[in-house]
Amino acid sequence: MSDAEEARAERRRWITLAEGVAVAGVVIGGLTLWNNVSERRTADAERAAERASSAKARAALAIVATPDGDGERLVMSAADRRIERIDVTFPRP
């Protein structure tokens, strides 16, 4: 082999090594992107579940019942809402 051929072969090896490093960098970048996207999806799902549970907690209604008359009736009231109609059905014994 002549010096020129050896130099060309050596250059080809360096280009191949450079391409390998570039491909490894692209693969690492892709894996990092995938990891970030999956973490963001998980965080968004957790935030949505947290919002849903807090909405349910805010929607809870506290009703206070006090006996009326001789104790056969209960008068129900809610501090923050007006109760227009309530139907309560108890199972038969």
Side-chain angles (χ1 to χ4, degrees):
M1 265 178 143
S2 71
D3 289 336
E5 290 175 1
E6 286 180 23
R8 257 186 273 147
E10 188 174 329
R11 258 185 274 133
R12 275 191 226 117
R13 271 184 265 146
W14 281 109
I15 291 172
T16 304
L17 179 63
E19 289 172 348
V21 169
V23 168
V26 169
V27 168
I28 290 171
L31 290 173
T32 302
L33 176 66
W34 176 78
N35 187 29
N36 289 340
V37 168
S38 66
E39 283 181 11
R40 183 171 290 168
R41 282 186 191 150
T42 303
D44 288 345
E46 288 174 358
R47 271 191 242 114
E50 198 173 291
R51 271 187 256 124
S53 67
S54 68
K56 283 182 184 179
R58 277 186 268 131
L61 176 63
I63 298 177
V64 177
T66 54
D68 184 34
D70 58 355
E72 291 193 17
R73 289 184 50 154
L74 292 175
V75 176
M76 296 186 186
S77 63
D80 59 339
R81 298 182 185 157
R82 182 173 162 229
I83 301 174
E84 293 182 13
R85 178 180 161 182
I86 296 177
D87 291 326
V88 180
T89 306
F90 294 102
R92 295 184 183 198

